[in-house]
Amino acid sequence: MASIELRGVSKRYPNGLYGVRDIDLKIRDGEFVIFLGPSGCGKSTTLRLIAGLESVTSGDLLIGDQSMVGVPPRDRDVAVVFQSYALYPHMTVAANMAFGLKMRKMPRREIATRVDRAADLLGLSHLLTRKPAALSGGQRQRVALGRAIVREPKVFLFDEPLSNLDAQLRAEMRLELVKLHRRLGRTIIHVTHDQIEAMTMGDRICIMREGRLIQSGPPLEVYANPVDTFVARFLSSPPMNLLPAHLEVDGDGLTVKLGEAIRLAVPERHVPAYRAVAGRPVTFGLRPEDIHEQPPAPTQQGFEVQVVALEALGAETNLVAQPTASGALPEITARLGRQARARTGETVTLYPDLLSMHLFDPETGAVIPRPPLDAPR
């Protein structure tokens, strides 16, 4: 069994600063979990605490129901793959993969069996006699993974292993890691600052900020229902549009007022949840893909913008625009289809899908709860 549990885990350094603070997290046996966050948020520190490369200052850390506090790394039955491949340049691929097993005095026949099995799994069988200098970046990364796989650990810990690869190789290796998880069925923790990796690879995302765990859940659930403005903006590219607004009572309904002239009717589905904050300043949030060139419904309201820039990405076009006649509102981004008709400098009308809107507290950044997007509408 390779479940992992962190109970109030903190790491405090001699200078009084915290690497991570009060982390409570349960990871199921066989789960693929992503630690996501900006540089310095504590995600790699948390991984190193699990690996035993850092000591826990307070709290408890369990692997398979056994406390690991004070247990050295070699006795935790975990394998770590770092950002740097750390391959021995004078050794062949086979020797690199076998090195850790040789140091553990494992029989030669067992070592050869494990290396061959891992090489076949990773498509390295034809490269076993080569040295690292003769390999591509993606092949070197596979060797580093193979070196971890031959140990047959309970848990794999990946610390940004794809960050040194180019865009195409990263995409290929993302898929390879997902396939690897399905074949091995082992618990995997993958640290990254890349939102695409987080959304496409893991069973669950754990978003961290300033040493704390901010939100945890399935990728699409976290994407659809962020707990605050940090998560809302960090977990997408382009990020969620966040605009200063005022929530006003409008008869039996509610209206979001943006700037001086834009007034958007809150959908009836959200009115009961938002009525308690009517009359207050709020932060209005809407993702770029929820802004359209054509109204999503016949009665949908729109607002005029002046197109500032267009990013043609092939399958889609990101439109950056400045709302007009609305005071000093920030620019917004709309993710449109490849057939987007707008041109830079033009004034066009955009239509928000307000069923996907969010409101946040402008002081704390916390989301103002409303029915989740996957609830019946």
Side-chain angles (χ1 to χ4, degrees):
M1 183 177 182
S3 61
I4 299 172
E5 185 173 358
L6 285 73
R7 300 176 179 173
V9 168
S10 295
K11 172 63 180 179
R12 187 182 183 187
Y13 296 104
N15 61 7
L17 296 178
Y18 282 87
V20 297
R21 194 163 189 171
D22 301 326
I23 300 293
D24 289 301
L25 179 65
K26 292 182 180 180
I27 298 173
R28 299 185 302 273
D29 181 31
E31 192 174 12
F32 194 146
V33 173
I34 304 290
F35 287 174
L36 176 69
S39 298
C41 71
K43 56 188 185 296
S44 290
T45 300
T46 306
L47 182 135
R48 291 174 65 85
L49 289 169
I50 296 171
L53 302 176
E54 298 272 4
S55 59
V56 173
T57 304
S58 61
D60 200 3
L61 192 157
L62 298 89
I63 298 179
D65 297 327
Q66 181 180 354
S67 177
M68 291 290 115
V69 176
V71 176
R74 65 178 178 273
D75 297 328
R76 298 194 179 199
D77 201 10
V78 302
V80 187
V81 178
F82 294 103
Q83 178 178 346
S84 59
Y85 314 134
L87 302 179
Y88 295 106
H90 63 287
M91 292 184 181
T92 64
V93 168
N96 266 285
M97 292 171 64
F99 182 76
L101 302 182
K102 289 182 178 179
M103 296 300 293
R104 290 172 172 79
K105 309 297 184 182
M106 184 173 288
R108 289 185 178 181
R109 183 172 296 179
E110 177 65 16
I111 292 176
T113 298
R114 290 194 182 193
V115 168
D116 288 343
R117 188 161 55 228
D120 182 63
L121 182 67
L122 296 169
L124 295 172
S125 298
H126 64 296
L127 302 174
L128 289 175
T129 59
R130 293 191 187 180
K131 293 182 178 179
L135 303 177
S136 67
Q139 290 168 339
R140 293 179 192 177
Q141 187 62 72
R142 285 186 172 88
V143 176
L145 287 171
R147 186 172 53 193
I149 290 171
V150 296
R151 291 181 51 195
E152 299 183 358
K154 293 179 181 178
V155 178
F156 289 95
L157 305 175
F158 298 154
D159 192 1
E160 304 206 46
L162 309 184
S163 59
N164 287 336
L165 305 179
D166 61 38
Q168 181 175 347
L169 279 177
R170 286 181 75 133
E172 293 174 359
M173 286 303 300
R174 285 199 303 267
L175 182 59
E176 290 300 321
L177 288 177
V178 172
K179 291 179 179 177
L180 180 66
H181 176 247
R182 291 175 180 170
R183 292 170 183 167
L184 298 178
R186 303 296 174 89
T187 305
I188 294 178
I189 299 175
H190 181 103
V191 166
T192 184
H193 61 271
D194 186 286
Q195 297 93 337
I196 296 177
E197 287 181 25
M199 290 297 298
T200 58
M201 293 173 60
D203 302 319
R204 184 157 49 121
I205 297 177
C206 297
I207 299 182
M208 299 187 67
R209 182 187 187 190
E210 297 178 352
R212 296 184 182 273
L213 179 61
I214 303 300
Q215 186 172 4
S216 174
L220 292 178
E221 179 180 306
V222 175
Y223 184 85
N225 302 291
V227 298
D228 60 19
T229 53
F230 172 78
V231 175
R233 289 189 63 82
F234 192 80
L235 193 59
S236 64
S237 182
M240 179 182 285
N241 297 292
L242 297 174
L243 303 174
H246 198 275
L247 187 63
E248 301 178 346
V249 176
D250 186 4
D252 293 332
L254 298 173
T255 295
V256 174
K257 183 180 179 183
L258 304 174
E260 299 300 326
I262 299 176
R263 300 176 66 87
L264 303 173
V266 175
E268 291 183 12
R269 178 174 180 267
H270 299 331
V271 168
Y274 289 151
R275 191 176 296 280
V277 295
R280 289 173 40 187
V282 292
T283 298
F284 172 81
L286 196 64
R287 293 205 179 276
E289 62 268 25
D290 295 319
I291 302 176
H292 311 281
E293 283 189 295
Q294 300 296 326
T299 59
Q300 180 61 58
Q301 304 158 276
F303 56 90
E304 288 191 344
V305 299
Q306 184 176 33
V307 180
V308 175
L310 292 165
E311 298 175 337
L313 304 177
E316 62 189 31
T317 299
N318 291 333
L319 179 148
V320 181
Q322 177 67 57
T324 61
S326 59
L329 286 177
E331 293 176 347
I332 64 169
T333 301
R335 179 179 287 165
L336 308 177
R338 69 174 70 185
Q339 305 298 331
R341 296 184 296 273
R343 296 292 181 266
T344 301
E346 287 184 346
T347 297
V348 299
T349 300
L350 295 179
Y351 298 89
D353 181 359
L354 295 177
L355 283 174
S356 300
M357 65 177 282
H358 293 275
L359 294 181
F360 302 89
D361 186 309
E363 295 184 1
T364 67
V367 72
I368 299 170
R370 59 146 174 77
L373 290 183
D374 57 354
R377 294 185 175 181

